[in-house]
Structures are given as C-alpha cells and as structure tokens.
Amino acid sequence: LCGLCLLAVMLPVASSCPPPCLCYSDGSVDCRGRGLLSLPPLQLLPPGTLSLLLANNNLASLGASAFANLSSLEELDLSNNYLDNLPAGLFRDMSNLTKLSLHNNSLTGMERELFQGLGGLHSLDLSLNGLSSVPLGVLDELQSLRWLSLAGNRLRGLERAAFEPLANLQHLELGQNPWECDCNLRDFKHWMEWLLYRGGKVDAVECTLPKDLRGRDIRGVPVEMFNYCLQRPGGAPPCSKALSPSGAPGSDKSNAAEDSSSSAGAGGGEAPADCVRARYRPASVRRAIGTVVIAGVVCGIVCIMMVAAAAYGCIYASLMAKY
C-alpha cells in the first residue's frame, strides 16, 4: 500500500499542466532543461502548485506580471538562465514563497522593490551573478530570511544598513568577490561580527585590496586598522569612492596597490596621491610605529637613570661601610 502511495506521488499528472513541463501530484511542476525562451502558460498550472522549477533554460527576461496569482507557490527555481534585469514587484503575489533561487544568471543590479511581498522568504540564492552592489532597501521586507548567498559576484563593499533588517539571518555566503577592505567595508565588518556573535555563519571574506591585506579574511583583521576612517578631515568620502564613484564592475583593481594611477583610471578620474597613500597605508599603523619609537626612547632613558641610581647607591654604601 505504501509503495502504491509513493508511486502515485511520483507519477506525473496528465491533465492541467503547461507544456512542455511535467506536473506531479506532490504539487511540483518541473520545467527544467526544456530550452524555454519564455515562460510556459502558467495559467495552466494545477491548483495548489507548491514548486515551480524553471532552471537550466534560456530565459532572458520576465514581465512584471509573469508570476501573478501564484500565491500558493512555496519554491521558485530560476537558476542557470540568462536573466539580466528583473522588474520591481515581480514576486509581489507570492506571499507564501519560502525558497527563491536566482543562481547563475546575469543580474548586474536589483530594483529596490524587487522582493516586495516576500515577507515569508527563508532562502534566497543570488550567487554567480554580476552584482556590484546591494541597494539600500532591497532586503527590507525579507525579515524572515535565514539563508542568503551573494557568492561569486562583483561586490567590493556592502552597506551595513542594507542588511540590518535581516533579523533572522543565520547563514550568509560572501566568498569569491573582489572585496576592498577599506572604509567602505568597516561598518559591514561590525555587522558581520554581530551576526557571528549571535550564532550566525559567514564564509570567508578575502580581501583583494589593499595589497597589505590581500588574501586575508577581513574577519581576522583588527578593527584598529580601520580607525583612520573616523579621522578623515571634514568628513571626506572614502578614497575608494573618489577612485570609483560608479563602482563599475568591469574595472580591474587587482593591481591598484602597485600602481595608483591605474587605480584612479578605473574610476574615470585621478585621485590625489595622499588619498591613495592613506587608503593603502592606514594612519593608525604609522602612529603605532611612532608610538613604539617614542616608548623605546623613554624606556631607554628610564633604564639609564635606574643604572645611575644603582651605581650611586653602591658607591654610597661602600663609603659608609668604610667609615
């Protein structure tokens, strides 16, 4: 009897299924690997469909109402397609969606209202895209999110305020990004430490720049290395903003530590030499070296005074003993 029940779940449902997909009695609709250039007729989905799998196709764009009236859907897989621009509010009708995968597409940006209506989402996969930033507000409605992957993008820095609404986040993947461990990443580093403190998990965040930190995990970089960020005169913007205001993903900054002129060229303008020096040789390090030198001189003087005092004491004691 149990075998018959299992067979019934696995068999495709013949009626009310959008071609060329396969619909199963467990509520899943499998359209993977069908070479689709556009969405199948979703109005033919069986009532109560829970899972829609559209991975491994040739989808390049989606209309703003592509997923209208799919409130019962709990899982949507759009991975391994060619999606490069998703309209705002695309998922607004999917109030029950808990898992969304956009892995391995061509996304270079996200509209602020892209994830509107996904208050119950638990898992979001944005890995292997071309994202160079996470806009403020785009994650605000994802307060139930527990798992998020931004690995394999073009992220150089992140804003702490963009992630603070994720009060229930437990797992964050950030690897394989060209991180610039400068002032732009300081506040986000603090937020990561808070996430780790409350039991969350974050994978390696390896620095690409500056040269002195290349290959190091920013989680292990002392916070004192970022003290100079608070001491820029007049609240000047971080050097990285002066070097790359647009954050163009195509600029190659891997050699910026060796050649400041190429780093300036990546942002379309020249940065002052002192800005470049401050960026790659923090003032806190220079002050620390000066402090060590001064402390050494003071300690030397004290030692000489102690030796002189000891010699005087010995001479005085010998004279007193003689008389």
Side-chain angles (χ1 to χ4, degrees), residues 38-53:
S38 60
L39 290 178
L42 298 183
Q43 67 273 15
L44 298 180
L45 288 176
T49 297
L50 302 177
S51 177
L52 178 56
L53 310 178

Side-chain angles (χ1 to χ4, degrees), residues 153-204:
N153 280 279
R154 298 177 180 177
L155 298 170
R156 297 188 178 98
L158 291 172
E159 296 281 349
R160 172 177 180 166
F163 291 81
E164 286 181 336
L166 305 180
N168 292 297
L169 193 66
Q170 300 173 358
H171 188 99
L172 178 61
E173 294 186 353
L174 296 171
Q176 302 175 41
N177 280 285
W179 298 110
E180 295 183 2
C181 300
D182 57 10
C183 296
N184 284 338
L185 211 54
R186 179 180 66 92
D187 289 342
F188 185 74
K189 171 182 166 63
H190 291 319
W191 181 84
M192 282 194 300
E193 291 172 349
W194 172 79
L195 176 62
L196 294 169
Y197 175 77
R198 63 183 180 88
K201 295 182 179 180
V202 182
D203 64 347

Side-chain angles (χ1 to χ4, degrees), residues 181 207-217 221 225-226:
C181 300
C207 303
T208 301
L209 292 175
K211 181 181 178 181
D212 294 343
L213 298 179
R214 184 176 299 171
R216 288 187 60 180
D217 191 334
V221 175
M225 294 289 290
F226 297 92

Side-chain angles (χ1 to χ4, degrees), residues 5-323:
C5 293
L6 181 61
L7 183 61
V9 169
M10 296 302 296
L11 285 175
V13 179
S15 61
S16 183
C17 187
C21 306
L22 296 177
C23 300
Y24 297 91
S25 57
D26 64 349
S28 63
V29 177
D30 190 350
C31 308
R32 292 175 295 183
R34 306 290 175 174
L36 298 175
L37 297 174
S38 60
L39 290 178
L42 298 183
Q43 67 273 15
L44 298 180
L45 288 176
T49 297
L50 302 177
S51 177
L52 178 56
L53 310 178
L54 293 163
N56 304 316
N57 282 292
N58 299 314
L59 301 176
S61 63
L62 296 172
S65 59
F67 301 113
N69 303 318
L70 293 180
S71 58
S72 64
L73 210 61
E74 297 179 359
E75 178 183 0
L76 177 60
D77 187 357
L78 289 165
S79 60
N80 301 318
N81 279 285
Y82 299 94
L83 300 171
D84 60 357
N85 185 25
L86 299 179
L90 175 63
F91 311 107
R92 67 165 60 95
D93 291 337
M94 298 182 172
S95 56
N96 290 311
L97 198 68
T98 60
K99 184 176 181 180
L100 173 60
S101 178
L102 291 164
H103 165 80
N104 195 22
N105 276 278
S106 304
L107 299 176
T108 56
M110 295 182 289
E111 297 287 342
R112 181 171 179 174
E113 295 81 17
L114 176 60
F115 302 118
Q116 182 182 7
L118 297 182
L121 195 67
H122 292 168
S123 173
L124 176 59
D125 191 347
L126 292 167
S127 60
L128 290 183
N129 279 279
L131 298 174
S132 58
S133 65
V134 176
L136 291 176
V138 72
L139 303 176
D140 282 4
E141 294 198 28
L142 307 183
Q143 299 181 11
S144 299
L145 198 66
R146 301 173 186 171
W147 189 93
L148 172 62
S149 179
L150 290 164
N153 280 279
R154 298 177 180 177
L155 298 170
R156 297 188 178 98
L158 291 172
E159 296 281 349
R160 172 177 180 166
F163 291 81
E164 286 181 336
L166 305 180
N168 292 297
L169 193 66
Q170 300 173 358
H171 188 99
L172 178 61
E173 294 186 353
L174 296 171
Q176 302 175 41
N177 280 285
W179 298 110
E180 295 183 2
C181 300
D182 57 10
C183 296
N184 284 338
L185 211 54
R186 179 180 66 92
D187 289 342
F188 185 74
K189 171 182 166 63
H190 291 319
W191 181 84
M192 282 194 300
E193 291 172 349
W194 172 79
L195 176 62
L196 294 169
Y197 175 77
R198 63 183 180 88
K201 295 182 179 180
V202 182
D203 64 347
V205 182
E206 293 188 357
C207 303
T208 301
L209 292 175
K211 181 181 178 181
D212 294 343
L213 298 179
R214 184 176 299 171
R216 288 187 60 180
D217 191 334
I218 192 175
R219 296 174 300 175
V221 175
V223 69
E224 289 77 14
M225 294 289 290
F226 297 92
N227 285 346
Y228 77 101
C229 299
L230 305 176
Q231 299 165 2
R232 290 192 301 271
C239 293
S240 61
K241 289 185 178 179
L243 295 174
S244 181
S246 61
S251 60
D252 183 6
K253 295 189 178 180
S254 61
N255 296 320
E258 293 90 343
D259 186 359
S260 60
S261 61
S262 64
S263 178
E270 275 189 40
D274 57 345
C275 179
V276 176
R277 284 197 299 271
R279 182 181 181 190
Y280 298 117
R281 191 176 297 277
S284 58
V285 177
R286 300 196 299 272
R287 286 199 305 273
I289 296 173
T291 302
V292 170
V293 173
I294 294 172
V297 172
V298 172
C299 288
I301 294 173
V302 171
C303 290
I304 292 173
M305 293 177 63
M306 291 178 65
V307 170
Y312 174 79
C314 291
I315 295 172
Y316 180 79
S318 64
L319 292 174
M320 292 301 294
K322 181 177 180 180
Y323 294 103

